[in-house]
Amino acid sequence: MLRIILLGLLQYRPMTGYEIKTLLDVSINHFWHAKLSQVYTTLKQLEGDGLLTSRVEAQDDRPDRRTYSVTEAGRAAFHDWQLSPIVEPDPLKFPFLVWVFFAAQAPPAVALTQLRLMRDLHRQRLHYYQHTTPDVIQDVAETTPASERDIIFWEATRRFGEAFEANYLRWMDELITQLEREIAP
Amino acid sequence: MLRIILLGLLQYRPMTGYEIKTLLDVSINHFWHAKLSQVYTTLKQLEGDGLLTSRVEAQDDRPDRRTYSVTEAGRAAFHDWQLSPIVEPDPLKFPFLVWVFFAAQAPPAVALTQLRLMRDLHRQRLHYYQHTTPDVIQDVAETTPASERDIIFWEATRRFGEAFEANYLRWMDELITQLEREIAP
DNA sequence: CGCACCATGTAATGCGTTACATGATTTT
DNA sequence: AAAATCATGTAACGCATTACATGGTGCG
């Protein structure tokens, strides 16, 4: 998947590994993430496969920059992926739900404390999607040659994040209330 | 994480790798998953670490069964994990959102077809959480010595799945409607 | 003075999937 | 006759994280 993301992002404009990582951290980060080291190794791999090319620019005050661009083969690989239909819902992983599944084994007070903490964290995230992400999308749209249609879909992913967090909060509030009633009737 | 899940499940009762896998597929499957081969290797690993023990029972008509049980050290490791607070929201991955992020690069008709297909898949999943999972929880509760408190949390994970899918559907319906308006005004 | 930013990479290790290998019994 | 269930595992590979290694500039 990271391979596809890198091919997709580099179609907007050529970038260095470092630039890609910073872009990743503000845009795609909410539904996919990668460490800088993985970005570097995956870029190298894609170049080895002929899907990217790179050229090095020397700089005297800072380290050299290696800028990657997509080749024709890279563009083709990306579009192949994009046009082949996805016929199964993604198998997802929610580590915190594992904790909830086994929460009966923990003392009730500990469980409640953990749930309240997690609720606060998701409240913060919801706030971020509502008040910060719209500005981020604007910023990215200005520094990247993106179409209006791109922005429609970027905004759709933001709304997904917002709705996901709002939904998560509702669910947690209900669970916490239920447990509170059971502990202190 | 699979290590923790195996330790958690084996505390209800001793099981073979095969039994664990079938239990995994109907319970935890909605927020974590693993292949049978990984279950076998992880069980072996946990035994090597002294967190599980196993004994083999010969059978004449079927292959031998290796039944695993949790050791004291295993119980301790599980409770350590359970009592150490989770202070960051999980970094999640939604592969389909990557597709949406780049959907502007696909022909509008292709994008709409894919979105409608995915909507149907999530509709099926919602139906499953609403009408099948409650029965599954009952079944598991009957074959496994689980407390009432366990069932409260298992039911909570079911509600999470239900709410997640309902929310996903709402989001997709909105996006599809928005795109339909733009294609054929 | 220390931290963040810019900038690149490698090496070791761990987690997870796919493919390989076997084989009897039961259900459709 | 074919598929699903029961039952175990290994080997190769790929994806991802952590740790290691380097070093100048700018800001508070």
Side-chain angles (χ1 to χ4, degrees):
Chain A
M1 188 80 264
L2 183 61
R3 290 167 61 95
I4 290 295
I5 293 171
L6 297 181
L7 290 174
L9 289 178
L10 286 170
Q11 278 178 63
Y12 293 119
R13 61 186 165 91
M15 280 180 277
T16 67
Y18 193 86
E19 278 180 291
I20 291 174
K21 171 60 175 162
T22 50
L23 180 56
L24 219 51
D25 284 346
V26 295
S27 55
I28 283 168
N29 193 249
H30 310 301
F31 46 90
W32 199 270
H33 57 88
K35 305 283 175 188
L36 187 51
S37 65
Q38 200 196 349
V39 171
Y40 282 123
T41 50
T42 307
L43 284 170
K44 198 179 177 180
Q45 200 193 98
L46 286 166
E47 192 176 23
D49 295 346
L51 307 181
L52 296 180
T53 40
S54 70
R55 73 207 126 92
V56 179
E57 291 153 81
Q59 302 188 120
D60 20 285
D61 55 333
R62 299 187 167 283
D64 297 351
R65 294 161 57 86
R66 180 179 293 272
T67 306
Y68 286 90
S69 319
V70 183
T71 63
E72 263 318 301
R75 229 166 239 112
F78 179 83
H79 288 117
D80 273 4
W81 168 77
Q82 209 178 29
L83 296 181
S84 56
I86 302 164
V87 294
E88 302 264 0
D90 296 323
L92 301 176
K93 292 188 172 182
F94 298 98
F96 187 64
L97 274 271
V98 174
W99 185 89
V100 173
F101 187 87
F102 291 117
Q105 265 64 55
V110 172
L112 255 178
T113 304
Q114 175 66 76
L115 287 167
R116 287 185 186 128
L117 167 60
M118 195 47 80
R119 175 176 56 180
D120 290 346
L121 292 171
H122 282 281
R123 242 203 279 272
Q124 284 168 37
R125 283 216 168 178
L126 174 59
H127 193 267
Y128 184 87
Y129 282 122
Q130 288 173 331
H131 299 102
T132 306
T133 313
D135 297 343
V136 171
I137 291 176
Q138 272 313 111
D139 287 356
V140 172
E142 276 158 30
T143 55
T144 296
S147 66
E148 292 225 1
R149 212 171 144 67
D150 277 305
I151 295 171
I152 287 173
F153 287 105
W154 297 355
E155 170 63 18
T157 65
R158 185 201 68 80
R159 281 201 308 273
F160 179 89
E162 186 186 346
F164 175 80
E165 294 299 338
N167 184 57
Y168 207 130
L169 267 182
R170 267 195 304 278
W171 171 74
M172 282 212 125
D173 278 333
E174 276 169 40
L175 179 57
I176 289 168
T177 311
Q178 183 190 356
L179 295 175
E180 281 168 346
R181 267 201 302 267
E182 266 157 30
I183 283 183
Chain B
M1 188 80 261
L2 184 60
R3 289 167 61 95
I4 290 294
I5 293 171
L6 297 181
L7 289 174
L9 290 178
L10 286 171
Q11 278 178 61
Y12 293 118
R13 61 188 165 92
M15 281 180 275
T16 67
Y18 193 86
E19 279 181 290
I20 291 173
K21 170 61 174 161
T22 49
L23 180 54
L24 218 50
D25 284 347
V26 294
S27 56
I28 283 168
N29 193 249
H30 310 299
F31 46 91
W32 201 272
H33 57 91
K35 305 282 175 187
L36 187 52
S37 65
Q38 199 195 352
V39 170
Y40 282 123
T41 51
T42 307
L43 285 170
K44 198 180 179 182
Q45 200 192 101
L46 286 166
E47 191 176 25
D49 295 347
L51 306 181
L52 296 180
T53 40
S54 71
R55 73 209 125 90
V56 179
E57 292 154 80
Q59 301 188 120
D60 22 281
D61 56 332
R62 299 189 165 281
D64 296 352
R65 295 161 55 88
R66 181 179 291 273
T67 306
Y68 286 91
S69 321
V70 183
T71 64
E72 264 318 300
R75 230 166 236 115
F78 180 82
H79 288 117
D80 272 5
W81 168 77
Q82 210 179 29
L83 296 179
S84 57
I86 301 165
V87 294
E88 303 263 2
D90 296 322
L92 302 176
K93 292 188 172 182
F94 298 98
F96 187 65
L97 273 273
V98 174
W99 185 90
V100 173
F101 187 87
F102 292 115
Q105 264 65 56
V110 173
L112 255 178
T113 304
Q114 174 66 76
L115 286 167
R116 287 187 187 126
L117 168 60
M118 194 46 79
R119 175 176 57 180
D120 289 346
L121 293 170
H122 282 281
R123 240 201 282 271
Q124 284 169 36
R125 283 214 168 181
L126 175 60
H127 193 267
Y128 184 87
Y129 282 122
Q130 287 172 334
H131 299 104
T132 306
T133 313
D135 297 343
V136 172
I137 291 177
Q138 272 313 110
D139 287 356
V140 173
E142 276 159 29
T143 56
T144 297
S147 67
E148 292 223 2
R149 213 171 144 67
D150 276 305
I151 295 170
I152 287 174
F153 287 106
W154 297 354
E155 170 63 17
T157 65
R158 184 202 67 80
R159 281 202 308 273
F160 179 89
E162 185 187 347
F164 175 81
E165 294 299 338
N167 185 56
Y168 207 129
L169 267 182
R170 268 195 303 277
W171 170 74
M172 283 211 124
D173 279 333
E174 276 169 39
L175 179 56
I176 288 168
T177 312
Q178 183 190 355
L179 294 175
E180 282 168 345
R181 268 201 302 267
E182 266 156 30
I183 283 182

